[in-house]
């Protein structure tokens, strides 16, 4: 596989898929530029080698239509400033051949939001799956997706994928385009390489004990990853809203706490699997119960399986926090996805904070810690502890799918 480190971009045009899907405020100002900063090493390497760069990305969900709200023109100045080069802009990503051809070494061009074209995602528009004509429409869309990818590919001599956030999608710019470059002229960017290496540390290069912490609101969205981790971890902490599905499944009373009644059998199965596989499953024994879903609610500490009627568990209790910390502090490999409580409310951050602090301690003592998924990243940032963990992934869905053991189309396309 070609690598960006080895590749000399001098005199070459590179088309780079980045993830510049950054949050904007109502005035179009960027509120978090992490994703732009993440792609800079790749873009700078191309320019300093003496190459020129065509930057492509999606932003938001314009659903295949032009929509000024999602125009990448809003971020061109910010990217220019960070890159230290005036970035030109092509207002139609499928009609940028002239602008790309005119690029000189050291110059950069950003093309408009790829998702203004339905071909980017490759899903037929305006037709439901149930429609008898759907399969035909899908075939036609796949064909035009190839044409779209071919057009993008025609702008450049080589292709770099540095968009980990969309690596789990088989879109025109993330996977299909790679078919138009030979193996020597396509590669992962520095950010993608780092992300892939981080996943490898968690999946193959494990130092024990390995503790995984899965939180968030629901079991259903995390079940794939929980089942895959069951064969790998020594300690599995399940926390956040899913605590109460487990408590109820075991006959507990959970008041108004969030619960997926149809996932109770699954919860019992996870408990049984942990036993058979010798995994130390840590579930919250006590919780901070609130009398309403609000930051100012009245609270009390109660067992997670004896929550009074009218109350709901919104955070991990003190005993639980201790148990979490014990399972984290001696670990040598740690994965955290999903908060232990409704951390958006300042009064319900203690569980997530205890996890973050224990991870910080273990990391200082030599553990490898990977934090991923939007909410746990937001958590660690809220606590100002981003520098106390080994790696923070930029990918939500992509990270989860990679850890579930699925091959990411964005990575597979480069290897082909
Ligand atoms: P997810 O998107 O599944 O990772 O879930 C993240 C969300 O779970 C956050 O917005 C948290 O506020 C929420 N969450 C965590 N614990 C609870 C809880 N005990 N009750 C309700 N929501 C929760």
């Amino acid at each position: 596989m070609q690598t960006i480190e080895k590749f000399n971009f001098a005199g070459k045009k590179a088309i780079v898929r980045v993830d510049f899907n950054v949050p904007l405020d109502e005035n179009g100002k960027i509120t978090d530029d992490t994703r732009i900063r993440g792609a800079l090493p790749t873009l700078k390497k191309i320019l300093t080698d003496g190459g020129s760069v065509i930057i492509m990305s999606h932003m938001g969900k314009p659903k295949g239509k032009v929509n000024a709200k999602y125009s990448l023109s809003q971020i061109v100045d910010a990217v220019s400033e960070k890159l230290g080069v005036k970035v030109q802009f092509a207002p139609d990503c499928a009609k940028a051949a002239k602008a790309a051809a005119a690029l000189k070494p050291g110059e950069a061009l950003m093309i408009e939001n790829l998702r203004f074209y339905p071909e980017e995602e490759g899903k037929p528009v305006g037709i439901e799956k149930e429609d008898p004509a759907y399969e035909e429409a899908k075939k036609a869309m796949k064909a035009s997706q190839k044409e779209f990818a071919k057009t993008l590919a025609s702008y450049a001599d080589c292709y770099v994928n540095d968009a980990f956030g969309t690596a789990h999608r088989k879109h025109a710019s993330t996977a299909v385009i790679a078919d138009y470059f030979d193996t020597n002229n396509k590669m992962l960017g520095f950010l993608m390489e780092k992300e892939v290496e981080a996943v490898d540390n968690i999946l193959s290069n494990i130092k024990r004990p390995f503790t995984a912490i899965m939180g968030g609101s629901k079991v259903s969205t995390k079940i794939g990853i929980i089942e895959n981790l069951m064969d790998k971890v020594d300690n599995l902490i399940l926390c956040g809203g899913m605590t109460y599905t487990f408590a109820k499944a075991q006959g507990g009373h959970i008041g108004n706490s969030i619960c997926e009644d149809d996932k109770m059998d699954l919860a019992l199965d996870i408990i049984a699997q942990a036993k058979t596989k010798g995994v130390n499953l840590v579930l919250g024994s006590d919780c901070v119960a609130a009398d309403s879903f609000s930051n100012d609610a009245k609270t009390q500490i109660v067992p997670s399986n004896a929550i009074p009627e009218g109350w709901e568990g919104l955070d991990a209790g003190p005993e639980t926090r201790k148990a979490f910390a014990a399972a984290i502090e001696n670990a040598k490999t740690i994965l955290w996805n999903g908060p232990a409580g409704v951390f958006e409310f300042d009064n319900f951050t203690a569980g997530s904070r205890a996890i973050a602090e224990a991870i910080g301690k273990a990391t200082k003592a030599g553990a490898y810690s990977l934090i991923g998924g939007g909410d746990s990243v937001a958590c660690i940032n809220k606590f100002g502890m981003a520098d106390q963990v080994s790696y923070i992934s930029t990918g939500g869905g992509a990270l989860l799918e990679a850890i579930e053991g699925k091959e990411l189309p964005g990575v597979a396309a480069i290897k082909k």
Side-chain angles (χ1 to χ4, degrees):
M1 200 161 98
Q2 183 58 273
T3 67
I4 182 160
E5 186 64 52
K6 276 193 309 194
F7 197 86
N8 186 354
F9 291 92
K12 299 236 158 91
K13 289 193 171 76
I15 187 155
V16 185
R17 176 55 154 106
V18 293
D19 179 4
F20 282 177
N21 183 27
V22 289
L24 302 176
D25 67 15
E26 59 280 7
N27 302 315
K29 283 261 164 308
I30 300 168
T31 55
D32 181 352
D33 66 357
T34 312
R35 288 177 170 157
I36 297 178
R37 283 188 282 113
L40 290 179
T42 291
L43 301 177
K44 283 188 173 162
K45 148 88 174 154
I46 296 167
L47 296 176
T48 38
D49 269 7
S52 54
V53 66
I54 298 128
I55 303 169
M56 59 176 172
S57 179
H58 77 285
M59 180 184 273
K61 292 185 174 154
K63 303 213 165 109
K65 288 201 186 91
V66 175
N67 182 340
K69 194 174 143 201
Y70 300 118
S71 174
L72 286 172
S73 61
Q74 300 169 97
I75 67 165
V76 176
D77 289 347
V79 176
S80 298
E81 193 193 307
K82 287 184 177 57
L83 198 55
V85 167
K86 171 110 189 77
V87 177
Q88 304 164 38
F89 186 70
D92 184 335
C93 65
K95 295 193 179 108
K98 252 196 191 156
L103 282 177
K104 295 193 189 70
E107 291 186 345
L109 167 74
M110 192 188 306
I111 61 178
E112 183 57 289
N113 194 341
L114 298 158
R115 289 195 190 165
F116 284 0
Y117 281 87
E119 284 82 358
E120 166 61 359
E121 294 181 81
K123 273 189 239 133
V125 270
I127 181 161
E128 297 299 320
K129 274 199 176 126
E130 295 69 36
D131 195 311
Y134 183 82
E135 281 310 310
E136 269 310 302
K138 197 166 130 188
K139 237 198 235 159
M141 177 49 90
K142 286 288 163 210
S144 48
Q145 183 182 48
K146 277 191 186 165
E147 283 308 308
F148 180 68
K150 198 172 163 188
T151 301
L152 297 173
S154 72
Y155 300 159
D157 307 302
C158 53
Y159 167 64
V160 183
N161 189 351
D162 212 15
F164 186 68
T166 47
H168 58 317
R169 306 284 183 219
K170 199 173 173 199
H171 291 171
S173 68
T174 62
V176 185
I177 187 174
D179 289 345
Y180 300 95
F181 295 91
D182 65 45
T183 334
N184 286 329
N185 289 311
K186 56 184 169 186
M187 66 215 86
L188 301 178
F190 288 121
L191 176 65
M192 274 281 257
E193 278 184 348
K194 271 202 294 185
E195 296 276 3
V196 169
E197 188 189 305
V199 171
D200 196 49
N201 280 334
I202 291 290
L203 288 186
S204 332
N205 199 7
I206 306 166
K207 289 193 212 95
R208 299 204 173 270
F210 178 9
T211 296
I213 307 126
M214 290 288 127
S217 54
K218 293 176 179 169
V219 195
S220 51
T221 53
K222 305 277 159 89
I223 185 61
I225 188 167
I226 290 173
E227 287 187 327
N228 191 42
L229 286 171
M230 198 64 93
D231 291 320
K232 300 196 167 70
V233 296
D234 302 290
N235 304 300
L236 178 60
I237 296 175
L238 297 181
C239 55
M242 66 178 110
T243 307
Y244 310 100
T245 302
F246 281 83
K248 189 169 173 187
Q250 294 176 92
H253 297 279
I254 59 162
N256 287 346
S257 305
I258 186 171
C259 181
E260 289 174 285
D261 284 337
D262 60 333
K263 293 291 174 293
M264 290 202 289
D265 286 345
L266 191 63
L268 294 177
D269 186 49
I270 290 172
I271 294 172
Q273 273 191 51
K275 251 193 206 129
T276 327
K277 292 184 173 163
V279 171
N280 172 34
L281 179 65
V282 187
L283 287 162
S285 57
D286 62 350
C287 68
V288 183
D291 66 350
S292 70
F293 190 80
S294 85
N295 188 44
D296 305 319
K298 262 198 235 145
T299 63
Q300 58 173 322
I301 306 296
V302 292
S304 307
N305 59 3
I307 301 174
E309 276 315 309
W311 294 69
E312 59 190 303
L314 293 190
D315 197 8
E319 285 305 318
T320 299
R321 282 175 246 159
K322 262 191 233 156
F324 287 176
I328 295 168
E329 280 172 13
N330 75 342
K332 286 280 168 278
T333 302
I334 303 167
L335 168 70
W336 181 24
N337 174 275
V342 185
F343 78 101
E344 295 92 336
F345 296 155
D346 287 345
N347 293 334
F348 298 94
T349 55
S352 304
R353 193 180 286 274
I355 290 172
E357 280 170 2
I359 295 177
K361 224 171 173 182
T363 310
K364 208 167 170 199
Y368 178 81
S369 53
L370 168 59
I371 320 292
D375 278 317
S376 13
V377 177
C379 243
I380 211 97
N381 286 333
K382 180 166 180 160
F383 305 149
M385 293 179 63
D387 56 346
Q388 294 177 43
V389 301
S390 310
Y391 191 70
I392 296 184
S393 174
T394 55
L399 179 75
L400 295 188
E401 288 198 16
I403 293 173
E404 273 177 39
K406 292 183 187 158
E407 183 161 54
L408 301 176
V411 178
I414 298 285
K415 285 188 190 160
K416 261 204 295 195

